[in-house]
Amino acid sequence: MSEMFTSRRTVTIEWGDCDPADIVFYPNYFRWFDASTAHHFKAAGLPKPELIRQYGVVGFPMVDTQAKFHKPSRHGDEVVIETTITRFGASSFDVEHRLLRDDILCVEGFEKRVLVKKSEDGQGITSCPVPEKVKARFFVSDAK
């Protein structure tokens, strides 16, 4: 049996991340979640430039996103973002982020992303299958 790999990164909330009420301006969470997805690939041994070079893709754009806000974060807080790919489709994958402060869940983020390559005419992008070798990097065995 296997489970999905979870990566973690720490973010310190800066003055410019906050609104006049000294709480994080909500779009910044989405910026951090986007960076956490790229970090997740790197932590799994596949930094984005390597993914692009090795598999001929142009990236993994977000096609849907949402968040649940439980507790505010403020200037000076140090938070940990845990990122997990929870499901792979043929060309898409779902990502969940958990932003924690002192082990308290503050924000949950959800993304649907699609692996894409340049279209045949070179004028746009089109989805492409997620290679099995890529998917395999995000599973960890819990066999003892």
Side-chain angles (χ1 to χ4, degrees), residues 39-51:
H39 173 269
H40 191 59
F41 271 76
K42 183 177 180 181
L46 197 55
K48 196 170 184 180
E50 179 66 17
L51 176 74

Side-chain angles (χ1 to χ4, degrees), residues 25-40:
F25 183 48
Y26 72 92
N28 288 316
Y29 291 110
F30 292 99
R31 178 172 54 92
W32 296 328
F33 293 154
D34 183 60
S36 294
T37 299
H39 173 269
H40 191 59

Side-chain angles (χ1 to χ4, degrees), residues 71-83:
K71 303 263 184 208
S73 299
R74 293 183 164 74
H75 173 244
D77 286 350
E78 191 170 89
V79 298
V80 173
I81 301 173
E82 298 179 341
T83 301

Side-chain angles (χ1 to χ4, degrees), residues 1 11 13 35-36 64 99 115 118 120 136:
M1 185 168 181
V11 173
I13 309 300
S36 294
D64 190 18
L99 186 139
L115 196 64
K118 286 189 177 185
E120 295 286 326

